[in-house]
Amino acid sequence: MLGAFLTVKTVLTRIIAIFTMVLTVLTGAADALAQGEVYPYLSKENVVGLPALARSQDVTTDGESFFFSGKSSLVRVSLDNETVLARNLDAIPQELEEQFGSAHIGGISYYDGKLYAAVEDSKVWAHPLVVLYDAETLRYTGVYAELGSGRLTRGVPWVACDARAGCFYVAQSKSSPKLLRYDLETFAYLGAIPLSEPVPEIQGAEVYQGKLYAATNDRTRAVYEIDLATGAVRKYFDRILLYSSLIANFGGEGEGITVLPMEDGSLFHTLEVGMLFLNSNFRHYAPAG
């Protein structure tokens, strides 16, 4: 009986491995066809199938691991992106679902042993929240902040923590003419930083050396650099440089970003959902010139 069970398990494992390999090749070819030329990156991991659902919104880091968000999940993996260290596949607390209609996790950011997660009542936009999770276990800490729909009339798609300034940043979705600042500990509103130009469709952002690096879902999935002292905006690089003529910008979605110096020379690590929405690409870039 045990031998038969092991044989079936071996066969299923092989079938899954073959299916995963086929899906990897298929999604990679589809992405290449849709995107055309992309900005040079040092390496990437293409995650396919169900695991991609948990890596479909944003990414952040504590310097020792990467954290990914899905629409209702969180996962922590090793820096080589191979070992899953923790999972919470049902991360939206029931009490927030019942009280606020919370239904979607967007951007995430790390600070002092906690994950700060942007959580929305999807497409209702009446209750934008920032929800705190324990970074080690990914469990809800019981702490959240309701940011209010007066300033954020279309939800809260992302959050970025700034330890030096003692605040986190959020912004309006679709087009962001300013950054809103909130205290990391008390969640008190600290005012806005007007931007030199609106930044379109920010999906995730991270603070690094006094700058906010914002990854977008605009036409070229651009990454923007925002000077937090002045509000000056400049396009840092376009993730997609050249589109296929017939299916330009078809399918897929640019997602979030984190910043971490790595031994291979990479600094910026971005996430995107593939053209077929069956995979997510995690790309690693050197600093732009």
Side-chain angles (χ1 to χ4, degrees), residues 39-45 262-269 282-287:
Y39 188 83
Y41 55 89
L42 297 179
S43 62
K44 79 167 184 177
E45 292 85 43
M262 302 285 282
E263 290 184 359
D264 65 355
S266 62
L267 179 62
F268 299 99
H269 314 276
F282 190 36
R283 301 182 194 260
H284 311 280
Y285 301 87

Side-chain angles (χ1 to χ4, degrees), residues 109-126:
S109 191
Y110 174 86
Y111 169 70
D112 192 29
K114 304 292 189 297
L115 286 185
Y116 287 58
V119 177
E120 301 175 331
D121 46 347
S122 186
K123 301 190 186 311
V124 179
W125 298 313

